[in-house]
């Protein structure tokens, strides 16, 4: 399978979203999954880079370049993800930096991080959970 295709302009947090603003370590697009690096900046999360890079901080609600402020959605019971998903789909951190993949894409050596479950064809219940270990 492949990562879900996100339209950045269609990423919309709900009124119940838990958000924070952080400076970016690199260019980030709305809808990309981010982690907090050792400098306290948000960078694109990656399931096959390291346990730290797979410890999801949230999903970017806006884009920006290095040093710019990014609004990060840490949790949201109804995050409009900017993509079409099937109700009940379990979404995980992708092995492509910043990407979101279906759970079936979890491969050996990838750090398992569940992002959430699709609650409609356009929204997910975002509540990241990192296993902290790679799949064997």
């Amino acid at each position: 399978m492949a990562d879900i295709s996100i339209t950045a302009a269609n990423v919309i947090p709900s009124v119940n979203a838990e958000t924070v603003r952080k400076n970016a370590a690199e260019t980030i697009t709305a809808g990309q999954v981010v982690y907090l690096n050792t400098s306290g900046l948000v960078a694109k999360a990656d399931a096959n880079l390291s346990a730290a890079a797979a410890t999801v901080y949230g999903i970017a609600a806006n884009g920006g370049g290095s040093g710019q402020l990014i609004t990060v959605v840490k949790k949201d019971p109804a995050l409009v993800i900017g993509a079409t998903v099937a109700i009940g789909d379990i979404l995980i951190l992708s092995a492509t930096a910043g990407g979101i993949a279906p759970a079936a894409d979890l491969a050996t050596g990838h750090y398992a991080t569940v992002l959430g479950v699709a609650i409609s064809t356009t929204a997910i219940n975002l509540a990241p959970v990192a296993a902290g270990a790679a799949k064997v």
Side-chain angles (χ1 to χ4, degrees), residues 13-60:
S14 76
V15 296
N16 295 314
E18 179 184 321
T19 63
V20 294
R21 299 206 14 110
K22 292 284 184 181
N23 290 91
E26 60 185 317
T27 299
I28 294 171
T29 303
Q32 288 187 313
V33 184
V34 296
Y35 77 102
L36 202 57
N37 72 13
T38 56
S39 299
L41 304 173
V42 289
K44 295 173 197 163
D46 192 329
N48 66 344
L49 185 61
S50 67
T55 303
V56 171
Y57 192 63
I59 293 178

Side-chain angles (χ1 to χ4, degrees), residues 1 5 20 25 27 29 39 43 51-52 58 60 63 69 76 78 84 98 101 106 108 112 114 119 123 131:
M1 299 187 89
S5 178
V20 294
T27 299
T29 303
S39 299
L69 279 173
D76 190 341
T84 301
L106 183 62
T108 300
V114 173
I119 59 166

Side-chain angles (χ1 to χ4, degrees), residues 84-113:
T84 301
V85 291
I87 297 171
D89 278 357
I90 297 169
L91 301 173
I92 63 169
L93 174 62
S94 171
T96 301
I100 299 173
D105 281 7
L106 183 62
T108 300
H110 294 182
Y111 290 88
T113 303

